[in-house]
Amino acid sequence: MTASPPPPMPRSRRSAGDRRTQLVQIGLELLPTTPIQELTIDAVAARAGISRSLLFHYFATKREYYTAVTRAAAEFMLEHLLPPPGAPQEDQVPGMLDRYVGWVEAFRESHLAFVRGAGGGDPWVAEVYEETRQRLVEVALTALQLPDDAPRRQLVLAWFAFAEDLVGSWADEPTLTREELLALLRDVLDRLVLRGR
Amino acid sequence: MTASPPPPMPRSRRSAGDRRTQLVQIGLELLPTTPIQELTIDAVAARAGISRSLLFHYFATKREYYTAVTRAAAEFMLEHLLPPPGAPQEDQVPGMLDRYVGWVEAFRESHLAFVRGAGGGDPWVAEVYEETRQRLVEVALTALQLPDDAPRRQLVLAWFAFAEDLVGSWADEPTLTREELLALLRDVLDRLVLRGR
DNA sequence: CGGCTTGCTGAGCAACGCTCAACAAGCTAC
DNA sequence: GTAGCTTGTTGAGCGTTGCTCAGCAAGCCG
């Protein structure tokens, strides 16, 4: 069953950095198919062609490993979403929204795995997820030139939950055109955020 | 550590139904403190004063056990939220919303555990959660006397995500009065749902 | 008392997270 | 070239946990 997929591997020696990134990379590859918590150390090690022990050399605990993987996934997504340096103010939020929808369309399963995994019991993973959301809110509020106070932050965070859910189900069953979806999301955000004005 | 809390128990013999409900009950009690997936069979069995094996007699697998617990939690919440038989049409949605906020205020941790656990990797638990949301949407749409078509359903579901998130963070840090919160939620729902009219 | 159903247990297996002592690949120094 | 150091790497093994199975025993009937 769990036979030897990498048998001809002459078992080379790698630098510490290389191994770490290789292991995280493997985690990212496995993430779409496996709920991150159920990722077994054995499977990852086997796929990397190394012993279980070595993985524990790099990541003291299983949790430490998959939070590293989660963090890498989050970083990857953020890089994709954040507006490019020269983008004009008023295009930043629409741009991010557009790229977000594109992201979900492209990486549907992986993204779901990330979002789902976020809620999934483990506080460390949830924390990474929360950090990501917070950073996105900050960017959005500055782009909209709005003060970053607690009430507005709550609203925008909740709107994120709204957008995440809607885009997710829309990707499954597109009841709107892509443009209608984007317009709807923007509209709801505007109304929410301009409320106290 | 995991010593014997029920030592004077003369280990009585119970009916099948009794045991089942007792075990589910224990699960419900442990749910607020422990992410449901991490609930160990040993702990539950110990708390019930029975052997591991017996638990597997009633629930063939661990998953089967905690989905039963999750389902019980969902049922409990639904009973609390659904409008009483005689409620007038136009009060039903506001009433449910009001009770929902009350629910979160009262059972903050348990509820979070339920919602979080829902996303948490396990498809079976997610399914129970999804069923619950679907039922609530049905009730809401009939109460609002609106047709139950796919687009509207998606919108209301997404609005749920919005409400869940907002009420959750509001309970942590009430930046609005309770009435303002309720009004906001109702207003957003109305605008969303009347969109296509 | 014998026999039946059925709630219940203990021993034990396999998988998995994790530890630890030791090996060996690749480098530098003499 | 070989001695010696660093450090990437491993195998054996322990404790926990999900799960199985053969069999015990509590209550009931004839």
Short mmCIF file of all heavy atoms in Angstrom, two decimals, chain A residues 34-59:
data_model
loop_
_atom_site.label_atom_id
_atom_site.label_comp_id
_atom_site.label_asym_id
_atom_site.label_seq_id
_atom_site.Cartn_x
_atom_site.Cartn_y
_atom_site.Cartn_z
N THR A 34 -6.03 17.08 1.09
CA THR A 34 -6.15 16.61 2.47
C THR A 34 -6.39 17.76 3.44
O THR A 34 -5.64 18.73 3.41
CB THR A 34 -4.83 15.91 2.89
OG1 THR A 34 -4.33 15.16 1.79
CG2 THR A 34 -5.07 15.00 4.07
N PRO A 35 -7.40 17.63 4.28
CA PRO A 35 -7.58 18.60 5.36
C PRO A 35 -6.29 18.68 6.16
O PRO A 35 -5.80 17.66 6.63
CB PRO A 35 -8.69 18.01 6.21
CG PRO A 35 -9.35 16.99 5.36
CD PRO A 35 -8.42 16.59 4.30
N ILE A 36 -5.77 19.86 6.31
CA ILE A 36 -4.40 20.02 6.79
C ILE A 36 -4.11 19.27 8.08
O ILE A 36 -3.01 18.78 8.29
CB ILE A 36 -4.05 21.52 6.95
CG1 ILE A 36 -2.54 21.70 7.11
CG2 ILE A 36 -4.78 22.14 8.11
CD1 ILE A 36 -2.03 23.01 6.66
N GLN A 37 -5.09 19.18 8.93
CA GLN A 37 -4.86 18.49 10.21
C GLN A 37 -4.59 17.00 10.02
O GLN A 37 -3.91 16.38 10.80
CB GLN A 37 -6.08 18.64 11.12
CG GLN A 37 -6.61 20.03 11.16
CD GLN A 37 -6.51 20.64 12.53
OE1 GLN A 37 -5.69 20.24 13.34
NE2 GLN A 37 -7.34 21.62 12.79
N GLU A 38 -5.17 16.47 8.96
CA GLU A 38 -5.05 15.02 8.75
C GLU A 38 -3.81 14.65 7.96
O GLU A 38 -3.57 13.48 7.68
CB GLU A 38 -6.30 14.51 8.02
CG GLU A 38 -7.54 14.59 8.88
CD GLU A 38 -8.77 14.15 8.13
OE1 GLU A 38 -8.64 13.51 7.08
OE2 GLU A 38 -9.88 14.45 8.62
N LEU A 39 -3.07 15.66 7.59
CA LEU A 39 -1.81 15.41 6.92
C LEU A 39 -0.91 14.62 7.87
O LEU A 39 -0.51 15.15 8.90
CB LEU A 39 -1.16 16.75 6.62
CG LEU A 39 -0.77 17.00 5.19
CD1 LEU A 39 -1.15 18.41 4.82
CD2 LEU A 39 0.67 16.79 5.03
N THR A 40 -0.56 13.40 7.52
CA THR A 40 0.29 12.65 8.45
C THR A 40 1.75 12.89 8.14
O THR A 40 2.15 13.02 6.98
CB THR A 40 0.00 11.14 8.40
OG1 THR A 40 0.80 10.56 7.37
CG2 THR A 40 -1.46 10.87 8.12
N ILE A 41 2.51 12.95 9.20
CA ILE A 41 3.95 13.16 9.09
C ILE A 41 4.56 12.08 8.20
O ILE A 41 5.42 12.37 7.36
CB ILE A 41 4.58 13.12 10.49
CG1 ILE A 41 4.13 14.33 11.29
CG2 ILE A 41 6.09 13.08 10.40
CD1 ILE A 41 4.62 15.63 10.75
N ASP A 42 4.11 10.87 8.38
CA ASP A 42 4.59 9.77 7.56
C ASP A 42 4.43 10.05 6.08
O ASP A 42 5.37 9.89 5.29
CB ASP A 42 3.81 8.48 7.89
CG ASP A 42 4.50 7.69 8.98
OD1 ASP A 42 5.35 8.28 9.67
OD2 ASP A 42 4.19 6.51 9.15
N ALA A 43 3.25 10.50 5.70
CA ALA A 43 2.97 10.75 4.29
C ALA A 43 3.91 11.81 3.72
O ALA A 43 4.49 11.64 2.65
CB ALA A 43 1.52 11.18 4.11
N VAL A 44 4.04 12.90 4.46
CA VAL A 44 4.90 13.99 4.00
C VAL A 44 6.34 13.50 3.88
O VAL A 44 7.01 13.72 2.86
CB VAL A 44 4.83 15.20 4.95
CG1 VAL A 44 5.78 16.28 4.50
CG2 VAL A 44 3.42 15.71 5.04
N ALA A 45 6.80 12.81 4.91
CA ALA A 45 8.18 12.31 4.90
C ALA A 45 8.39 11.36 3.73
O ALA A 45 9.38 11.46 3.01
CB ALA A 45 8.48 11.61 6.22
N ALA A 46 7.45 10.46 3.54
CA ALA A 46 7.56 9.50 2.44
C ALA A 46 7.67 10.24 1.12
O ALA A 46 8.54 9.94 0.29
CB ALA A 46 6.36 8.56 2.44
N ARG A 47 6.80 11.22 0.95
CA ARG A 47 6.80 11.98 -0.30
C ARG A 47 8.11 12.72 -0.51
O ARG A 47 8.55 12.93 -1.63
CB ARG A 47 5.63 12.96 -0.27
CG ARG A 47 5.47 13.70 -1.56
CD ARG A 47 4.01 13.87 -1.90
NE ARG A 47 3.84 14.74 -3.05
CZ ARG A 47 2.70 14.91 -3.68
NH1 ARG A 47 1.63 14.26 -3.26
NH2 ARG A 47 2.62 15.71 -4.71
N ALA A 48 8.71 13.15 0.58
CA ALA A 48 9.97 13.87 0.46
C ALA A 48 11.14 12.90 0.35
O ALA A 48 12.27 13.30 0.08
CB ALA A 48 10.17 14.78 1.66
N GLY A 49 10.86 11.63 0.58
CA GLY A 49 11.91 10.63 0.51
C GLY A 49 12.86 10.66 1.70
O GLY A 49 14.03 10.33 1.60
N ILE A 50 12.31 11.08 2.85
CA ILE A 50 13.14 11.14 4.06
C ILE A 50 12.45 10.40 5.20
O ILE A 50 11.31 9.96 5.05
CB ILE A 50 13.38 12.59 4.50
CG1 ILE A 50 12.04 13.27 4.78
CG2 ILE A 50 14.17 13.34 3.44
CD1 ILE A 50 12.16 14.61 5.44
N SER A 51 13.10 10.28 6.30
CA SER A 51 12.51 9.61 7.46
C SER A 51 11.66 10.57 8.27
O SER A 51 11.86 11.79 8.20
CB SER A 51 13.61 9.05 8.34
OG SER A 51 14.36 10.11 8.87
N ARG A 52 10.72 10.01 9.02
CA ARG A 52 9.90 10.84 9.90
C ARG A 52 10.77 11.75 10.77
O ARG A 52 10.51 12.93 10.93
CB ARG A 52 9.12 9.94 10.88
CG ARG A 52 7.74 9.62 10.51
CD ARG A 52 7.37 8.27 11.10
NE ARG A 52 8.12 7.22 10.42
CZ ARG A 52 8.33 6.02 10.89
NH1 ARG A 52 7.86 5.67 12.06
NH2 ARG A 52 9.02 5.13 10.21
N SER A 53 11.82 11.15 11.31
CA SER A 53 12.67 11.86 12.27
C SER A 53 13.19 13.18 11.72
O SER A 53 13.27 14.17 12.44
CB SER A 53 13.84 10.98 12.65
OG SER A 53 13.42 9.65 12.82
N LEU A 54 13.51 13.18 10.44
CA LEU A 54 14.09 14.39 9.87
C LEU A 54 13.08 15.53 9.86
O LEU A 54 13.42 16.68 10.13
CB LEU A 54 14.59 14.13 8.44
CG LEU A 54 15.39 15.30 7.87
CD1 LEU A 54 16.55 15.64 8.78
CD2 LEU A 54 15.90 14.97 6.49
N LEU A 55 11.85 15.18 9.60
CA LEU A 55 10.84 16.21 9.61
C LEU A 55 10.74 16.84 11.01
O LEU A 55 10.59 18.06 11.14
CB LEU A 55 9.48 15.62 9.20
CG LEU A 55 8.56 16.62 8.52
CD1 LEU A 55 7.62 15.93 7.56
CD2 LEU A 55 7.77 17.42 9.52
N PHE A 56 10.88 16.01 12.00
CA PHE A 56 10.82 16.53 13.37
C PHE A 56 12.07 17.31 13.72
O PHE A 56 12.10 18.03 14.71
CB PHE A 56 10.59 15.40 14.37
CG PHE A 56 9.17 14.94 14.40
CD1 PHE A 56 8.80 13.73 13.85
CD2 PHE A 56 8.19 15.73 14.97
CE1 PHE A 56 7.49 13.32 13.86
CE2 PHE A 56 6.87 15.33 14.97
CZ PHE A 56 6.52 14.11 14.42
N HIS A 57 13.11 17.12 12.92
CA HIS A 57 14.30 17.92 13.12
C HIS A 57 14.03 19.37 12.70
O HIS A 57 14.51 20.31 13.32
CB HIS A 57 15.46 17.33 12.33
CG HIS A 57 16.71 18.13 12.42
ND1 HIS A 57 17.43 18.25 13.60
CD2 HIS A 57 17.38 18.87 11.52
CE1 HIS A 57 18.48 19.02 13.39
NE2 HIS A 57 18.47 19.41 12.13
N TYR A 58 13.26 19.52 11.65
CA TYR A 58 12.98 20.86 11.12
C TYR A 58 11.78 21.50 11.79
O TYR A 58 11.74 22.71 12.01
CB TYR A 58 12.78 20.81 9.61
CG TYR A 58 14.05 20.52 8.89
CD1 TYR A 58 14.31 19.26 8.36
CD2 TYR A 58 15.03 21.50 8.77
CE1 TYR A 58 15.50 18.99 7.70
CE2 TYR A 58 16.22 21.24 8.12
CZ TYR A 58 16.46 19.99 7.58
OH TYR A 58 17.63 19.72 6.95
N PHE A 59 10.77 20.71 12.08
CA PHE A 59 9.58 21.23 12.75
C PHE A 59 9.35 20.41 14.01
O PHE A 59 9.03 19.23 13.93
CB PHE A 59 8.37 21.15 11.83
CG PHE A 59 8.58 21.84 10.52
CD1 PHE A 59 9.07 21.15 9.43
CD2 PHE A 59 8.33 23.20 10.38
CE1 PHE A 59 9.28 21.79 8.22
CE2 PHE A 59 8.54 23.84 9.17
CZ PHE A 59 9.02 23.14 8.09
#
